[in-house]
Amino acid sequence: MSTNNLSYNEQGGGAEPAVELGQESTPTASGSTAAAGLFSTDFKKNEDLKEMLESNKESLKLEAMKRIVGLIAKGKNASELFPAVVKNVASKNIELKKLVYVYLVRYAEEQQDLALLSISTFQRALKDPNQLIRASALRVLSSIRVPIIVPIMMLAIKEAATDLSPYVRKTAAHAIQKLYSLDPEQKEHLIEVIDKLLKDKSTLVAGSVVMAFEEVCPDRIDLIHKNYRKLCNLLVDVEEWGQVVIITMLTRYARTQFLSPWREDALFDENSEKAFYDSDVEKEKADSKPYMMDPDHRLLLRNTKPLLQSRNTAVVMAVAQLYWHLAPKQEVSIVTKSLVRLLRSHREVQYIVLQNIATMSIQRKGMFEPFLKSFYVRSTDATHIKTLKLEILTNLATEANISTILREFQTYVKSQDKQFAATTIQAIGRCATNISEITDTCLNGLVLLLSNRDETVVAECVVVIKKLLQTQPSQHSDIIKHMAKLLDNITVPMARASILWLIGEYCERVPKIAPDVLRKVAKSFTSEEDIVKLQTLNLAAKLYLTNSKQTKLLTQYILNLGKYDQNYDIRDRTRFLRQLIVPNEKSGALSKYAKRILLASKPAPVLESAFKDRDRFQLGTLSHTLNAKASGYLELSDWPTVAPDQSVRNVEVMEPQSLERQPSTRGSDLFAYHLLVLLCSDSDDAKEKKRPKPKLDSVSSHSKASSSSDNTASSGSESEEDTDSDSEPEQKKKKKLSSKPQVRQILSFALNCGCKMCLCVTAFQVSSPVFVPPKSHELLHRMSGKGLAVSYHFPRQPCAYSHRMVSVQLTLTNGRDQPLEDICVGEAGPPGIAIHRFATIERLQPEASITVSMGIDFNDSTQAANFQLCTKTDQFSVSIQPAVGELLMPVTMTEQDFLKEQGQLTGMNESSVTITIAPDSMSSQPVGRKVVSVANMGVVPSSQNSIHRFAAKTVSSGSLVLSSVVLQEASTAKLVVNTEKTVLGSVLLRELKTALSQG
């Protein structure tokens, strides 16, 4: 085994050029298969892993999967191990199953046929108690790109979207995009799921569902209205990737829903962070209508501002672009420091940030001018970073800082990076064009650079000087003469062509030099580059028109050479010029205008920034980086001219009449609970009973026997002494509510409003528990608790504190020889679980016991409730993890109602298994006893002796949970659980299976 492991570990880093795992065994021809298997060194490594995966030892399988996943992380190809890996998809080892799913997500799309064979396994895994397994199963299922499983994927996504775990709901949002790309016809169904997930309050889900929204239906802005404020408020707590997605989406949303804050005639209201106008101007424009920023617009700006301090550069960039496109102009400057801070990051980040700063600096120089030194070029910067910094420095150049910038440029010109030096010369030319006061200074400096030894620098200087001379050529004839003398030494085609263009354009100002230059280039015409040949033809034509006596023969010679050139552009230009400048019978009227055509004055070129038009793209996008519209780019809308309706973002308070038909809705559940209280109240017994308060100062009188009594301390008998005399009016009010006419009104309302929960509770009333387990569980041992021992049990009674809570009774015993003081419940968690604490026990005497009640909202999950049990001197961390059956309350229903509700809870809402039970347990009494001992369910009457039915609802959300046991031949039975809470149903099915199979 050690030899195999050694050979496996060497496969990634050996000196020999071995082919990646799995690739070498893929034959390119029929005859190469045997050779590949015979001579491949990786073949044994693959066999080694396959043997480990097929082993009976879980440890070997786990080790093999760890190594395979490690290979995938390194970019190795492990696809040929798919058959061996997929066999372990049904493993009961959680860690192994997680790794198998990681592998399947990577290769399910490539090995679709084999993955399809495991569809049933993935479907079962969607109901696994472990949230990671459920999420991984959905991830694998959505990675199988086969249209035939689209209905299965759709059903799985809808189920996962209502999962208790936010991680699973997040995975469902990711799966939406995959399903949409596989089958766009599912768009309407997916939009329904997106609409539901957008209402999710979990920060883990928010970013993923917004990404799904952007992929599937970015134009459905109506889905965002009701969730806009929630997304703004959740933004700070969302993970970083989600923040980027949400900010980008909200930027587009805001451009369609709010008025522009950039109007020059607008006055900002007093709630703005700054005043837009001075007080004098405000007095002058007192009569004008002030611009009142929409509160939702301000909410977005206010909630994104703290994210400028994020450590994630993408988040900072997203906020910066949001402020650039949405904020009033005087508020945009707050993003400057954050963007400059990003320049300390990696060069990849610098590149994107500098591009966006370059675009901003064109329109608003004042934003970045105080940070001029941050854009000075460093010797360690890459060329593309240097170029962008040069761009920004040139954009920021003003009369006040140009001397400082030019000194920097003089240093840059001497750089060993010739490309950067050439770009610097271009930047000098732009500064000279934009600031007329320094044009002469820049020209003189560029002329001095003409004597530089580096040919690239000289060539770039010639090109820039040529453009600058066009602005005032009459004053710089000496510079033209100097450049003409350099023609013999310059070999760069663009520079030679620029010199020839200058001499031809201003040939009348250098009449003695121009013919000589033409003579020199005529000698080397055949060996020149095409761009030089074209400018030679232009020079010859212009000299023919202005100085025909000296250049006529030279021009004819050059035209003859151009007539037979290999380049068709040169041949065409030659024929055109010959007909234009040399009159003959075929020339026509065009030759009369030869001078006006060739010697016309040209406008001076405008040296502009390459980022001048980049602002047409949204900052921070790929399209802005490429300066071209990328696939999937969504353009920002123009600001609306009329303010859209603000009320669309108002979230309405749900009234009972408009309750949705969902048992899990908190509003409907609460309404149904109060309705149940009213219906079950008795007019003859309407007095409100109050629990007797324990006399904390006489706790010592409690004996140990009190802990074993049946709920005596928690329920307590009613005492007239404990009933307040002030409660009599309240009792009369309760009695009036319980009268029959009032009940009829409530029943009529329930029937008319169509609320399923109301009708459900009316028909399926909560009943008393059939069986209460006497077993108590240890919460804190006396040794761990320093003498304090605590046990707990579930009395299966409605909680007095909240109908959503499970009632738990704790028995505390003082095993010390000294009293315990100030016993109470401290910090509790996790966040999804709510706990109602018992009143502080001021004093518990030695050897005394007391029973107290707590209420815990487990949120319909078997997740443990963690809290601290505190005394005056100590704190003990304890945990209560309920059995799944204790999360239920029994309900009463008829057999017909049971069958009707069961028919609505099929498909993903149904879990079933066939079990073997002992022959003596085949009667109704043992089956019923075992079921109710495991789960707090009510017995439903059955017309068949072989079928036993049980019904309950979850304590927290009120969802129905139905279970049936169908006895079959050969001591077998089919156990079925139906519920909307699929995870809870799967766990309950497993517990019932264990109890019934014990015999």
Side-chain angles (χ1 to χ4, degrees):
M1 190 64 196
S2 61
T3 304
N4 291 337
N5 290 342
L6 180 60
S7 65
Y8 175 84
N9 292 328
E10 288 176 348
Q11 69 180 356
E16 56 185 0
V19 185
E20 290 184 351
L21 177 63
Q23 291 181 341
E24 71 291 331
S25 60
T26 304
T28 57
S30 58
S32 63
T33 307
L38 186 61
F39 296 103
S40 172
T41 56
D42 282 342
F43 179 74
K44 292 184 179 179
K45 298 171 188 175
N46 296 348
E47 288 299 318
D48 175 33
L49 291 172
K50 290 177 182 176
E51 291 177 3
M52 295 174 70
L53 290 170
E54 293 174 359
S55 171
N56 293 328
K57 295 183 178 179
E58 294 289 335
S59 59
L60 288 179
K61 293 181 179 180
L62 189 60
E63 180 65 22
M65 285 307 306
K66 287 180 179 178
R67 294 179 178 178
I68 293 172
V69 172
L71 278 178
I72 297 173
K74 293 177 181 178
K76 302 293 183 181
N77 184 5
S79 58
E80 76 167 20
L81 293 170
F82 194 94
V85 173
V86 79
K87 292 178 182 178
N88 296 282
V89 73
S91 173
K92 295 182 179 179
N93 187 306
I94 299 298
E95 294 300 320
L96 177 59
K97 183 177 287 190
K98 290 178 185 177
L99 295 175
V100 170
Y101 279 138
V102 170
Y103 177 91
L104 293 178
V105 169
R106 170 64 180 81
Y107 289 110
E109 188 170 352
E110 298 178 16
Q111 304 281 347
Q112 295 178 355
D113 293 339
L114 289 174
L116 283 173
L117 297 176
S118 304
I119 286 290
S120 59
T121 305
F122 302 144
Q123 287 181 284
R124 286 196 298 272
L126 291 171
K127 303 177 181 179
D128 194 276
N130 191 310
Q131 61 175 351
L132 296 178
I133 298 300
R134 299 198 304 276
S136 298
L138 180 59
R139 196 176 294 116
V140 176
L141 198 61
S142 60
S143 299
I144 304 175
R145 316 292 292 168
V146 180
I148 196 173
I149 66 166
V150 165
I152 298 176
M153 289 174 59
M154 189 72 244
L155 191 62
I157 290 173
K158 287 184 176 180
E159 181 66 25
T162 60
D163 196 278
L164 291 177
S165 168
Y167 180 71
V168 179
R169 301 197 297 273
K170 175 188 179 76
T171 307
H174 292 168
I176 289 174
Q177 306 168 56
K178 297 181 180 179
L179 180 55
Y180 179 69
S181 64
L182 180 62
D183 185 6
E185 294 182 359
Q186 300 293 324
K187 181 175 181 178
E188 293 304 321
H189 298 292
L190 293 175
I191 289 177
E192 295 177 4
V193 181
I194 290 174
D195 188 22
K196 181 184 295 184
L197 288 175
L198 280 171
K199 300 173 184 176
D200 201 302
K201 295 182 180 180
S202 172
T203 56
L204 193 64
V205 181
S208 300
V209 66
V210 170
M211 189 64 209
F213 168 83
E214 290 284 77
E215 290 290 330
V216 178
C217 52
D219 56 327
R220 289 290 304 274
I221 292 198
D222 56 295
L223 299 179
I224 305 298
H225 290 324
K226 299 292 185 182
N227 305 287
Y228 171 82
R229 293 168 186 167
K230 182 197 73 175
L231 290 173
C232 289
N233 293 324
L234 288 180
L235 198 54
V236 178
D237 298 320
V238 174
E239 39 85 23
E240 294 167 342
W241 176 84
Q243 288 174 344
V244 175
V245 175
I246 295 174
I247 291 172
T248 304
M249 184 274 294
L250 291 179
T251 303
R252 290 193 303 104
Y253 177 87
R255 286 292 288 259
T256 64
Q257 299 300 311
F258 307 128
L259 292 177
S260 171
W262 303 340
R263 294 186 308 174
E264 295 182 359
D265 60 340
L267 296 175
F268 277 86
D269 64 301
E270 59 184 3
N271 295 325
S272 297
E273 296 184 2
K274 291 184 179 180
F276 190 39
Y277 292 95
D278 295 333
S279 57
D280 296 339
V281 181
E282 289 179 354
K283 291 178 182 179
E284 295 176 2
K285 298 194 174 184
D287 296 334
S288 63
K289 186 177 181 180
Y291 167 78
M292 303 295 292
M293 178 174 281
D294 191 299
D296 288 329
H297 191 170
R298 176 59 64 188
L299 175 68
L300 177 59
L301 295 175
R302 183 171 59 248
N303 285 14
T304 53
K305 184 178 179 180
L307 297 181
L308 287 171
Q309 308 302 322
S310 174
R311 62 181 180 180
N312 188 295
T313 54
V315 175
V316 177
M317 193 64 247
V319 177
Q321 66 85 25
L322 181 140
Y323 265 78
W324 178 260
H325 293 295
L326 300 180
K329 293 182 178 180
Q330 76 280 2
E331 296 182 25
V332 179
S333 58
I334 67 171
V335 307
T336 307
K337 287 185 179 180
S338 299
L339 291 176
V340 172
R341 172 173 61 88
L342 299 182
L343 298 181
R344 304 169 192 160
S345 188
H346 304 291
R347 62 177 59 178
E348 294 81 7
V349 174
Q350 291 182 44
Y351 179 70
I352 300 298
V353 174
L354 287 171
Q355 277 198 326
N356 288 273
I357 292 177
T359 301
M360 295 178 178
S361 60
I362 293 175
Q363 296 185 17
R364 302 178 190 174
K365 295 183 179 182
M367 283 180 60
F368 298 96
E369 197 171 351
F371 303 93
L372 194 66
K373 293 184 179 179
S374 299
F375 305 106
Y376 286 174
V377 173
R378 301 181 181 182
S379 58
T380 55
D381 288 337
T383 302
H384 60 282
I385 300 298
K386 294 177 181 178
T387 304
L388 285 171
K389 287 186 174 181
L390 268 179
E391 178 71 32
I392 296 171
L393 287 174
T394 308
N395 292 341
L396 298 179
T398 61
E399 295 180 10
N401 60 24
I402 188 60
S403 57
T404 305
I405 292 177
L406 284 180
R407 281 197 298 269
E408 278 290 310
F409 286 175
Q410 288 174 2
T411 306
Y412 301 160
V413 170
K414 302 173 185 177
S415 172
Q416 297 298 318
D417 187 343
K418 302 308 174 188
Q419 181 182 350
F420 171 58
T423 309
T424 303
I425 294 172
Q426 296 175 11
I428 294 174
R430 277 183 55 201
C431 291
T433 304
N434 297 334
I435 305 174
S436 58
E437 289 79 4
I438 63 164
T439 302
D440 293 341
T441 305
C442 292
L443 260 177
N444 294 331
L446 292 174
V447 171
L448 292 176
L449 288 175
L450 291 175
S451 58
N452 194 290
R453 294 181 180 180
D454 188 272
E455 192 176 74
T456 307
V457 174
V458 175
E460 199 63 44
C461 284
V462 170
V463 175
V464 174
I465 289 173
K466 168 219 164 186
K467 295 178 180 178
L468 292 178
L469 287 180
Q470 288 182 255
T471 59
Q472 37 187 284
S474 59
Q475 303 176 16
H476 302 288
S477 58
D478 294 337
I479 295 178
I480 298 174
K481 294 177 182 178
H482 181 66
M483 295 175 66
K485 295 177 182 178
L486 296 174
L487 188 63
D488 294 337
N489 300 323
I490 295 177
T491 59
V492 176
M494 179 57 73
R496 291 177 65 83
S498 297
I499 293 175
L500 292 175
W501 185 90
L502 270 176
I503 295 172
E505 185 69 16
Y506 308 111
C507 57
E508 295 178 348
R509 301 184 187 280
V510 285
K512 295 181 180 179
I513 295 177
D516 193 48
V517 171
L518 182 62
R519 179 183 58 81
K520 290 181 179 181
V521 294
K523 290 181 181 180
S524 60
F525 184 85
T526 55
S527 60
E528 296 285 358
E529 294 290 333
D530 292 342
I531 189 173
V532 180
K533 290 179 180 179
L534 289 172
Q535 292 304 326
T536 302
L537 289 169
N538 286 340
L539 175 60
K542 291 176 182 178
L543 287 176
Y544 185 89
L545 295 175
T546 58
N547 192 358
S548 176
K549 183 178 179 180
Q550 287 184 300
T551 59
K552 183 176 181 180
L553 295 177
L554 275 174
T555 302
Q556 291 178 351
Y557 173 72
I558 292 173
L559 291 175
N560 288 333
L561 292 176
K563 181 178 180 180
Y564 300 102
D565 196 88
Q566 294 181 352
N567 188 292
Y568 62 85
D569 284 338
I570 297 173
R571 296 197 302 270
D572 290 345
R573 181 71 63 87
T574 301
R575 282 192 289 267
F576 169 74
L577 290 176
R578 185 186 295 275
Q579 296 295 323
L580 184 64
I581 65 175
V582 183
N584 54 38
E585 297 177 356
K586 300 179 180 180
S587 297
L590 190 61
S591 61
K592 297 178 182 179
Y593 305 99
K595 284 190 176 182
R596 295 178 63 181
I597 294 174
L598 293 177
L599 300 179
S601 59
K602 281 83 174 177
V606 179
L607 301 178
E608 295 179 338
S609 169
F611 288 82
K612 181 182 179 182
D613 298 326
R614 290 277 183 105
D615 58 349
R616 69 182 187 275
F617 297 112
Q618 184 176 351
L619 297 188
T621 60
L622 178 61
S623 297
H624 177 269
T625 302
L626 300 177
N627 197 23
K629 189 173 181 179
S631 176
Y633 174 73
L634 299 173
E635 294 184 357
L636 285 178
S637 303
D638 293 331
W639 294 101
T641 56
V642 180
D645 184 14
Q646 299 179 355
S647 63
V648 294
R649 290 181 292 277
N650 295 334
V651 180
E652 299 178 359
V653 179
M654 189 174 293
E655 299 295 335
Q657 288 86 346
S658 60
L659 290 175
E660 296 181 358
R661 301 172 64 87
Q662 295 180 357
S664 59
T665 304
R666 288 177 179 263
S668 61
D669 195 12
L670 184 62
F671 176 77
Y673 172 74
H674 291 301
L675 177 63
L676 175 64
V677 172
L678 289 174
L679 292 175
C680 295
S681 59
D682 188 355
S683 58
D684 295 332
D685 189 19
K687 294 181 180 180
E688 182 169 2
K689 298 181 179 181
K690 298 184 65 179
R691 183 188 307 275
K693 300 180 181 178
K695 298 179 181 180
L696 300 179
D697 56 346
S698 60
V699 168
S700 58
S701 62
H702 288 268
S703 63
K704 291 185 179 181
S706 64
S707 63
S708 59
S709 61
D710 234 2
N711 304 333
T712 53
S714 60
S715 57
S717 59
E718 180 63 25
S719 174
E720 293 181 1
E721 297 176 358
D722 294 332
T723 305
D724 296 333
S725 59
D726 296 338
S727 64
E728 187 174 353
E730 185 70 18
Q731 294 173 8
K732 293 180 179 179
K733 192 181 298 182
K734 296 272 185 178
K735 189 170 183 179
K736 183 179 290 186
L737 284 174
S738 63
S739 61
K740 290 183 180 180
Q742 186 73 10
V743 172
R744 286 196 211 99
Q745 293 175 8
I746 296 173
L747 282 173
S748 176
F749 167 75
L751 292 171
N752 291 331
C753 74
C755 177
K756 180 179 178 181
M757 189 62 200
C758 298
L759 298 176
C760 174
V761 175
T762 305
F764 313 138
Q765 296 183 4
V766 176
S767 59
S768 301
V770 179
F771 174 80
V772 178
K775 181 182 178 180
S776 62
H777 311 273
E778 183 179 73
L779 183 65
L780 181 66
H781 192 271
R782 58 186 296 272
M783 298 298 292
S784 304
K786 298 181 180 180
L788 175 63
V790 184
S791 61
Y792 69 93
H793 78 282
F794 297 96
R796 294 190 173 180
Q797 294 293 333
C799 182
Y801 312 115
S802 171
H803 67 284
R804 293 178 57 89
M805 290 185 171
V806 176
S807 180
V808 183
Q809 290 189 353
L810 277 64
T811 301
L812 300 89
T813 303
N814 184 4
R816 291 183 179 182
D817 54 359
Q818 296 178 350
L820 287 171
E821 298 181 349
D822 298 335
I823 305 175
C824 62
V825 175
E827 296 181 359
I833 294 179
I835 296 180
H836 188 284
R837 298 164 172 80
F838 58 81
T840 301
I841 301 174
E842 296 179 358
R843 191 177 184 85
L844 183 61
Q845 295 294 344
E847 302 302 322
S849 298
I850 186 173
T851 300
V852 294
S853 295
M854 290 179 61
I856 304 177
D857 182 0
F858 289 101
N859 202 14
D860 289 348
S861 75
T862 55
Q863 186 178 10
N866 306 316
F867 58 93
Q868 288 186 333
L869 202 58
C870 307
T871 64
K872 188 174 184 179
T873 57
D874 299 296
Q875 294 181 347
F876 310 102
S877 296
V878 294
S879 177
I880 296 179
Q881 184 168 14
V884 64
E886 305 303 333
L887 303 176
L888 309 176
M889 290 293 288
V891 296
T892 302
M893 66 170 59
T894 63
E895 184 178 16
Q896 292 77 14
D897 290 334
F898 182 96
L899 295 175
K900 179 181 177 182
E901 295 295 332
Q902 188 182 43
Q904 297 178 0
L905 296 172
T906 57
M908 299 286 287
N909 296 322
E910 182 176 280
S911 304
S912 62
V913 66
T914 301
I915 58 176
T916 302
I917 58 180
D920 56 352
S921 300
M922 292 294 285
S923 61
S924 61
Q925 187 173 359
V927 170
R929 184 175 64 251
K930 291 179 179 179
V931 170
V932 297
S933 65
V934 171
N936 187 20
M937 306 186 76
V939 179
V940 178
S942 176
S943 59
Q944 298 172 278
N945 294 331
S946 60
I947 301 179
H948 310 285
R949 299 185 176 93
F950 308 88
K953 72 167 187 175
T954 58
V955 175
S956 182
S957 65
S959 299
L960 276 179
V961 180
L962 308 177
S963 176
S964 60
V965 181
V966 182
L967 302 177
Q968 301 172 345
E969 298 179 357
S971 300
T972 61
K974 183 179 181 181
L975 176 61
V976 182
V977 174
N978 303 81
T979 178
E980 290 181 347
K981 302 292 182 179
T982 54
V983 178
L984 184 144
S986 299
V987 180
L988 178 61
L989 182 75
R990 188 175 61 224
E991 295 293 331
L992 293 176
K993 175 185 174 182
T994 303
L996 293 171
S997 300
Q998 289 177 351

